[in-house]
Amino acid sequence: MSGQTKFLLDESRIPKRWYNIQADLPKALPPVLHPGTMKPVGPDDLAPLFPMELIMQEVTTEREIDIPEPVRDVFRLWRPTPMFRAHRLEQALGTPARIFYKYEGVSPAGSHKPNTAIAQAFYNKQAGIRRLTTETGAGQWGSSLAFAGALFGIDVTVFQVRVSYNQKPYRRALMESYGARCLPSPSTETAYGRDVLSRTPDHPGSLGIAISEAVEIAAQRDDTKYALGSVLNHVLLHQTIVGIEAIEQLQMADAYPDVVVGCTGGGSNFAGISFPFIGAGLRGGAKPRIVAVEPAACPSLTRGRYAYDFGDTAHMTPLTKMHTLGSTFTPPGFHAGGLRYHGMAPLVSHLKELGLIEAVAYNQVECFEAGVLFGRTEGILPAPEANHAVKGAIEEALRCKREGRAETILFNLCGHGHFDMQAYMDFSAGKLTNQTYSEEELAMALSGLPSVPEPA
Amino acid sequence: MSGQTKFLLDESRIPKRWYNIQADLPKALPPVLHPGTMKPVGPDDLAPLFPMELIMQEVTTEREIDIPEPVRDVFRLWRPTPMFRAHRLEQALGTPARIFYKYEGVSPAGSHKPNTAIAQAFYNKQAGIRRLTTETGAGQWGSSLAFAGALFGIDVTVFQVRVSYNQKPYRRALMESYGARCLPSPSTETAYGRDVLSRTPDHPGSLGIAISEAVEIAAQRDDTKYALGSVLNHVLLHQTIVGIEAIEQLQMADAYPDVVVGCTGGGSNFAGISFPFIGAGLRGGAKPRIVAVEPAACPSLTRGRYAYDFGDTAHMTPLTKMHTLGSTFTPPGFHAGGLRYHGMAPLVSHLKELGLIEAVAYNQVECFEAGVLFGRTEGILPAPEANHAVKGAIEEALRCKREGRAETILFNLCGHGHFDMQAYMDFSAGKLTNQTYSEEELAMALSGLPSVPEPA
């Protein structure tokens, strides 16, 4: 063992600006379409759901956006997050590669999600908003927004997918400890929820339904808006603080990555670690390979279609062009709940179409094997989502071993697994199996994609 | 909000030496007695259980003990831990006091326990030991030793109190993910366990029984030794790294505490934060007040007797003089499992007798109220054990408010509560009640204390 392990930055080094990759795109993002007219939306169309500052962040092509001081002030509770050199993992793999990981699990909620939750809560508070609604699956996002609401004095109502609400009560307990209200979705509080329940009283819920419920409430009330934990441009923007810090920390290590790896569900933690590097390459700097790792059971980037689709089940949300498995696609019940979404962030999808990123899919058993190896060497047991990034980084390190190349690999360890021990119990007991979907189901979901006139 | 929040030290600042308070005691510790002869034990008596380096650390009066480089090397994964100024908690309390907290929850196991687990695993590995046995209740200690075993290549066998083994499987899953073997105690693997089961087949287990089982196995095999997570002098020694770092971090804040607060079960996290400050005072420096906070349902320091007692139920361990509720005392089932032990560390007990520390006891409901306030202001939801320290610090801050004094308060936040969400669920639901013992039970346990001739 030799060389530095941990790369820390003082809180004065918390970035002062987010990086907006829209400034550097060789081709602009396709427009967002109104769900009623199928015409491009304007800021006013989104005003019922989001405060104007966030709407402007959604569309701006300014390269750098100032991070408000009250947001940086909250970030001081856990940011800058540490970056580590994975000496022990490298030794266990026998690779000549240098592996670095940025660790976002030190946040109070245990993941990267508070990076945007705090910013969204701030802008809503500034706009006079008193309540935020949102959806959550397993609860990483819901608990992060609950934490943010507690700090900014905003009431938070979380629609949690009913099956998770019942089966995984511990993240709900975290939300409630932060003072949030958590409802099982479908609920009786919305017209859409009541409609679903009238047809299927024991409906287990889905993220798409929960989004529809949260949006319905927010659209009805002036003092209430909606918050989303991934997918949207402003959410990805807020996560770029991860990669900006990593660049400075790699300088401390006198290193620059040859490969950057992140796991992708909606796309926010992947964007956070990778966009600042992609942007530097687009502006003439070094161009590391950028690898998105997704679950084989929900493979929007590797098996989805690049097309306009809705973000929710009730089709209340605007349409965005993205890699999608279809809004009616129901991902099988694997453990990385944060990666179970039918679509991919429009920005990430666009970069994939432009050939600026690669994508690969792994099954969950091999990802848990990677996570356990990581835990036994580096000490941190990753969240199931993060296991995908670990697997991707290990595969790159083994490639380096085969090729005899001492490359530098950076990946984002986006959260710890302390809320996910049931999954590790199943894995230890040999009860964890790979989940899959039927090709018929995927084909049917894709055939249901909305028909949209290609905008000029 | 103004002023720095987080005080970080670079990994080069990981302390190079532990602080041994036995060097500065105005009166030496009473000797440890052999359970058979009731005579003071020598190093050889302890050799079946511990490697000689740890035995020497148990008795030495050298002030500073070098931390081996391989131990510091592992510490780089999470040490130095951050110290925070609790600006938001201060504001919420309206106190003129400055509150600082040292946060040990950033370790891979989520608590301070790896500080000694890593050291113990190292010394055992160095001595050629291939297997360690230990006991655990809820699992904080067991998971920490499992982590340490994974890093040093030592097999770890954990006897977990059966009721926790069955009811709280998630820390067990963490132990197993690190590669440890976890058995419900009483088990059929030891003579003592079989004896207990033959009399009470459905026995729920206790820490005292689990210790007896772990000791029995270790004593029988040359390649196997025993590891304890608290109470013993060498364990407390290893935890002093917490306070040593805190002193340097407080210098960054240009501060020195008027009050140091820690929660006490066996005594190790309390010793870790406080001994370096007590020692500085004994050597002529400032003397902050030192406050130990214990659970009212298991009040060894405030209600126990200072007497010789066994550490385990089968009376296999040596006897130490300590504040004890009696080795047959069964603490009621409150949530801070890490504080449910009948005895207190001999060193902490000795300091209490010498008037160098204060002790106070709180009930669990008021401690959870304090923990939830802390979570909603500072973001981190503490472990139930740590809630006792939070409560103690808040009470000191409110005293400062009443008295109009701008004192500096430091406390040890020894772990996060992400494995303890059932307790928070019960609290949110209003189902958490204060637990208590009967005075008759305590009197009976105290009347059963062993009769020991006071050594010269």
Side-chain angles (χ1 to χ4, degrees):
Chain A
M1 210 66 52
S2 69
Q4 197 171 351
T5 293
K6 192 157 71 277
F7 300 87
L8 295 176
L9 298 172
D10 188 78
E11 66 182 43
S12 68
R13 306 303 303 158
I14 294 172
K16 294 194 166 63
R17 284 168 288 278
W18 291 299
Y19 166 64
N20 179 19
I21 200 168
Q22 294 195 70
D24 294 315
L25 290 176
K27 183 181 163 191
L29 268 188
V32 174
L33 305 185
H34 191 284
T37 64
M38 298 282 181
K39 297 269 168 59
V41 298
D44 288 348
D45 293 317
L46 298 171
L49 296 185
F50 304 107
M52 197 50 67
E53 285 279 348
L54 292 177
I55 294 170
M56 297 320 290
Q57 290 181 3
E58 195 64 19
V59 296
T60 181
T61 54
E62 266 188 78
R63 182 172 290 126
E64 295 190 312
I65 313 288
D66 286 344
I67 305 178
E69 273 307 312
V71 172
R72 292 184 75 239
D73 194 62
V74 176
F75 284 167
R76 297 193 297 168
L77 291 172
W78 76 96
R79 301 212 73 87
T81 61
M83 187 190 77
F84 294 90
R85 170 88 183 268
H87 291 293
R88 288 184 177 75
L89 177 63
E90 292 168 15
Q91 286 190 331
L93 297 172
T95 179
R98 292 191 296 175
I99 306 176
F100 293 91
Y101 58 98
K102 182 75 169 160
Y103 182 41
E104 291 292 308
V106 293
S107 84
S111 79
H112 65 293
K113 292 290 186 188
N115 295 335
T116 184
I118 294 296
Q120 293 189 50
F122 167 77
Y123 287 116
N124 276 283
K125 182 73 178 181
Q126 196 183 40
I129 296 307
R130 300 176 57 176
R131 183 160 69 131
L132 284 170
T133 64
T134 196
E135 73 294 327
T136 202
Q140 281 203 353
W141 167 242
S143 56
S144 298
L145 193 67
F147 158 57
L151 264 62
F152 284 101
I154 296 182
D155 291 340
V156 172
T157 301
V158 181
F159 290 89
Q160 184 172 24
V161 176
R162 182 180 295 271
V163 62
S164 295
Y165 181 94
N166 289 329
Q167 289 179 359
K168 299 183 175 179
Y170 289 170
R171 279 214 177 257
R172 165 159 57 97
L174 185 58
M175 295 182 232
E176 290 174 348
S177 294
Y178 285 133
R181 182 160 172 252
C182 189
L183 298 164
S185 167
S187 78
T188 56
E189 301 230 346
T190 65
Y192 186 65
R194 288 188 295 272
D195 180 50
V196 172
L197 289 173
S198 72
R199 284 177 280 124
T200 315
D202 58 347
H203 198 294
S206 73
L207 268 180
I209 293 171
I211 293 174
S212 297
E213 290 202 277
V215 165
E216 180 184 323
I217 296 282
Q220 282 167 355
R221 296 177 49 155
D222 282 348
D223 67 349
T224 301
K225 299 233 180 268
Y226 168 70
L228 189 66
S230 190
V231 178
L232 298 179
N233 301 345
H234 69 269
V235 179
L236 276 53
L237 172 77
H238 298 158
Q239 292 293 352
T240 58
I241 196 168
V242 178
I244 294 168
E245 286 179 5
I247 287 176
E248 185 169 345
Q249 287 164 310
L250 284 169
Q251 284 169 352
M252 294 168 69
D254 203 15
Y256 201 82
D258 298 291
V259 192
V260 178
V261 179
C263 62
T264 44
S268 77
N269 99 78
F270 170 77
I273 192 80
S274 68
F275 281 11
F277 291 96
I278 299 172
L282 288 169
R283 295 192 304 278
K287 293 183 199 293
R289 287 175 50 229
I290 309 287
V291 180
V293 184
E294 63 181 9
C298 191
S300 55
L301 275 175
T302 53
R303 296 288 319 276
R305 190 171 300 164
Y306 186 58
Y308 272 101
D309 198 5
F310 295 96
D312 73 327
T313 304
H315 294 183
M316 295 179 192
T317 67
L319 291 92
T320 56
K321 196 157 184 186
M322 58 182 177
H323 289 86
T324 177
L325 302 164
S327 65
T328 63
F329 179 80
T330 305
F334 57 92
H335 279 289
L339 308 181
R340 290 182 63 220
Y341 187 64
H342 68 275
M344 179 53 61
L347 271 171
V348 173
S349 296
H350 188 63
L351 292 168
K352 177 74 164 46
E353 285 301 296
L354 293 174
L356 294 169
I357 67 171
E358 307 169 27
V360 61
Y362 293 112
N363 280 300
Q364 72 173 353
V365 172
E366 56 193 340
C367 291
F368 272 84
E369 287 167 354
V372 166
L373 173 62
F374 188 83
R376 292 183 186 183
T377 51
E378 294 295 312
I380 301 165
L381 203 67
E385 293 81 4
N387 281 344
H388 290 74
V390 174
K391 172 67 177 172
I394 288 177
E395 285 303 314
E396 292 294 332
L398 293 175
R399 175 190 56 73
C400 288
K401 183 179 181 178
R402 288 192 303 272
E403 299 175 357
R405 297 165 72 96
E407 292 185 11
T408 297
I409 300 165
L410 170 69
F411 74 97
N412 196 15
L413 191 71
C414 59
H416 68 61
H418 291 179
F419 281 104
D420 306 283
M421 296 313 300
Q422 185 63 49
Y424 281 96
M425 286 183 66
D426 294 349
F427 176 74
S428 290
K431 285 192 277 188
L432 195 79
T433 55
N434 290 329
Q435 302 292 305
T436 188
Y437 52 85
S438 76
E439 292 294 332
E440 291 73 20
E441 188 187 348
L442 176 57
M444 188 181 304
L446 288 173
S447 73
L449 284 174
S451 175
V452 174
E454 190 74 24
Chain B
M1 209 66 51
S2 68
Q4 198 171 351
T5 293
K6 191 156 70 282
F7 299 86
L8 295 176
L9 298 172
D10 188 78
E11 66 182 42
S12 68
R13 305 303 302 156
I14 293 171
K16 295 194 163 65
R17 284 168 289 279
W18 291 298
Y19 166 65
N20 178 20
I21 200 168
Q22 294 195 70
D24 292 315
L25 289 176
K27 184 181 163 191
L29 268 187
V32 175
L33 305 184
H34 191 284
T37 64
M38 298 282 181
K39 295 269 169 60
V41 298
D44 288 349
D45 293 317
L46 299 172
L49 296 185
F50 304 107
M52 198 48 70
E53 285 278 349
L54 291 178
I55 294 171
M56 298 319 290
Q57 290 180 2
E58 195 65 18
V59 296
T60 182
T61 54
E62 267 188 79
R63 181 171 291 126
E64 296 191 313
I65 313 287
D66 285 344
I67 305 178
E69 273 308 310
V71 172
R72 292 183 75 239
D73 193 62
V74 176
F75 284 167
R76 298 192 297 167
L77 290 173
W78 76 95
R79 301 212 72 86
T81 61
M83 188 190 76
F84 294 91
R85 169 90 182 266
H87 291 293
R88 288 184 178 73
L89 178 62
E90 292 168 15
Q91 286 191 330
L93 297 173
T95 180
R98 292 192 295 176
I99 306 175
F100 293 92
Y101 58 98
K102 182 76 168 159
Y103 182 41
E104 291 292 308
V106 294
S107 84
S111 79
H112 64 293
K113 292 289 186 190
N115 295 334
T116 184
I118 294 297
Q120 293 189 50
F122 167 77
Y123 288 116
N124 276 285
K125 183 74 178 181
Q126 196 184 41
I129 296 307
R130 300 176 55 176
R131 183 161 68 131
L132 283 170
T133 64
T134 196
E135 74 293 328
T136 202
Q140 283 204 351
W141 167 242
S143 56
S144 298
L145 193 68
F147 158 57
L151 265 62
F152 284 102
I154 296 184
D155 290 340
V156 172
T157 301
V158 181
F159 291 89
Q160 184 172 25
V161 176
R162 183 180 294 270
V163 62
S164 295
Y165 181 95
N166 289 330
Q167 289 179 358
K168 300 183 175 179
Y170 289 170
R171 279 216 177 257
R172 166 158 58 97
L174 185 58
M175 296 182 232
E176 290 174 349
S177 294
Y178 284 134
R181 181 160 174 253
C182 189
L183 298 164
S185 167
S187 78
T188 56
E189 301 231 346
T190 65
Y192 185 66
R194 289 189 294 271
D195 180 49
V196 172
L197 289 172
S198 72
R199 284 177 281 124
T200 315
D202 57 349
H203 197 294
S206 73
L207 268 180
I209 293 171
I211 294 174
S212 297
E213 290 202 276
V215 165
E216 180 183 323
I217 297 283
Q220 282 167 355
R221 297 177 50 154
D222 282 349
D223 67 349
T224 302
K225 300 237 180 263
Y226 168 69
L228 189 65
S230 190
V231 177
L232 298 178
N233 301 346
H234 69 267
V235 179
L236 276 54
L237 173 77
H238 299 157
Q239 294 293 353
T240 58
I241 195 168
V242 177
I244 294 168
E245 288 179 5
I247 288 175
E248 185 169 345
Q249 288 165 309
L250 284 170
Q251 284 169 351
M252 295 168 69
D254 202 16
Y256 201 81
D258 298 290
V259 192
V260 178
V261 179
C263 63
T264 44
S268 77
N269 99 78
F270 170 77
I273 190 79
S274 68
F275 281 11
F277 290 96
I278 299 172
L282 288 169
R283 296 192 304 279
K287 292 184 201 296
R289 288 174 51 228
I290 309 288
V291 180
V293 184
E294 64 181 7
C298 191
S300 55
L301 275 175
T302 52
R303 296 289 318 276
R305 192 172 299 166
Y306 186 56
Y308 273 101
D309 198 6
F310 294 96
D312 73 326
T313 304
H315 295 183
M316 295 179 191
T317 67
L319 292 91
T320 55
K321 196 158 185 185
M322 59 182 176
H323 289 86
T324 178
L325 302 164
S327 66
T328 62
F329 179 80
T330 305
F334 57 92
H335 279 289
L339 308 182
R340 291 182 64 221
Y341 186 62
H342 68 275
M344 178 53 60
L347 271 172
V348 173
S349 297
H350 188 62
L351 292 169
K352 177 72 164 48
E353 285 301 296
L354 293 174
L356 293 169
I357 66 170
E358 307 168 28
V360 61
Y362 293 111
N363 280 300
Q364 72 173 353
V365 172
E366 55 193 340
C367 291
F368 271 85
E369 286 166 354
V372 166
L373 174 62
F374 188 83
R376 292 184 186 183
T377 51
E378 294 296 311
I380 301 165
L381 202 67
E385 293 82 3
N387 281 345
H388 290 74
V390 174
K391 172 66 177 171
I394 287 176
E395 287 301 315
E396 292 293 332
L398 292 176
R399 175 189 56 73
C400 288
K401 183 180 180 179
R402 287 192 303 273
E403 299 175 357
R405 296 164 72 97
E407 292 185 13
T408 297
I409 300 165
L410 170 69
F411 74 96
N412 195 15
L413 191 71
C414 61
H416 68 62
H418 291 180
F419 281 105
D420 306 284
M421 295 315 299
Q422 185 63 49
Y424 281 96
M425 286 183 67
D426 294 349
F427 176 74
S428 291
K431 285 192 278 188
L432 196 78
T433 55
N434 290 328
Q435 301 293 304
T436 189
Y437 51 86
S438 74
E439 291 295 333
E440 292 73 21
E441 189 186 347
L442 175 58
M444 188 181 305
L446 288 173
S447 73
L449 284 174
S451 175
V452 173
E454 189 73 22

